[in-house]
């Protein structure tokens, strides 16, 4: 794993498009990098297999994007990315970390719960869904206690 760079964005987009029916645009990634958001790429044998983007402001962090190539999911790569983001949030003085997840993504929900995140609410109609519909987001948070 290493910090994401602008020159990585074409490869990041390949993974993003494989993983999500409504992927982020390259412009969103570029804006996050230019804004100085911590972002990482996960590599295996030189191949891009995942990425993550975090925002940190004041004492709160927000996991904006965690993505692992579908062909490599279920092998702990998402956990590696998530743990790195939580550690980065802690290192930047955050007291809590938030994220949103689709209710239709039970594997991600299970990972987040296993890593210490708890559901704190819902955002109605947050995500795009099939047939021009919308899907709620489960809002989860983790308190970062001092070590």
């Amino acid at each position: 794993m290493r910090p994401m760079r602008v020159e990585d964005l074409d490869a990041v987009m390949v993974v993003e498009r494989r993983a999500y029916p409504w992927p982020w645009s390259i412009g969103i990634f570029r804006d996050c990098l230019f804004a100085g958001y911590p972002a990482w790429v996960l590599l295996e044998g030189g191949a891009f297999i995942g990425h993550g983007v975090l925002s940190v402001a004041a004492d709160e962090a927000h996991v904006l994007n965690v993505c692992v190539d579908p062909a490599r999911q279920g092998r702990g790569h998402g956990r590696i990315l998530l743990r790195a983001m939580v550690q980065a949030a802690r290192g930047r003085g955050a007291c809590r970390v938030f994220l949103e997840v689709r209710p239709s993504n039970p594997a991600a929900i299970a990972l987040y719960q296993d890593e210490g995140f708890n559901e704190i609410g819902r955002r109605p109609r947050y995500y795009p869904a099939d047939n021009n519909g919308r899907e709620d987001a489960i809002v989860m948070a983790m308190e970062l206690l001092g070590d």
Side-chain angles (χ1 to χ4, degrees):
M1 187 161 53
R2 65 163 172 77
M4 186 185 294
R5 301 183 294 245
V6 172
E7 55 268 23
D8 296 328
L9 293 183
D10 287 338
V12 165
M13 288 306 301
V14 170
V15 174
E16 181 80 2
R17 287 183 185 121
R18 282 184 192 150
Y20 297 125
W22 295 275
W24 275 17
S25 70
I26 196 167
I28 293 171
F29 283 105
R30 188 176 294 114
D31 289 347
C32 287
L33 291 176
F34 289 154
Y37 290 178
W40 299 266
V41 292
L42 189 59
L43 302 153
E44 186 175 71
F48 284 75
I49 64 165
H51 51 270
V53 180
L54 181 73
S55 87
V56 183
D59 65 347
E60 295 183 347
H62 197 134
V63 173
L64 300 176
N65 188 314
V66 178
C67 182
V68 174
D69 189 317
R72 293 189 165 97
Q73 290 177 3
R75 301 179 195 173
H77 300 304
R79 188 176 306 273
I80 290 167
L81 284 163
L82 183 63
R83 286 182 177 174
M85 286 190 273
V86 168
Q87 191 61 34
R90 183 177 277 119
R92 287 172 166 78
C95 296
R96 66 196 56 78
V97 181
F98 296 94
L99 59 80
E100 289 88 18
V101 61
R102 290 176 181 266
S104 62
N105 191 347
I109 294 166
L111 168 63
Y112 300 146
Q113 288 173 334
D114 192 48
E115 288 297 312
F117 284 84
N118 296 296
E119 181 175 340
I120 61 166
R122 297 246 174 171
R123 295 189 198 280
R125 302 177 45 75
Y126 185 78
Y127 290 112
D130 288 333
N131 300 320
N132 294 320
R134 304 294 295 179
E135 182 176 7
D136 292 353
I138 297 172
V139 181
M140 302 184 86
M142 170 195 281
E143 297 293 324
L144 300 179
L145 305 175
D147 292 332

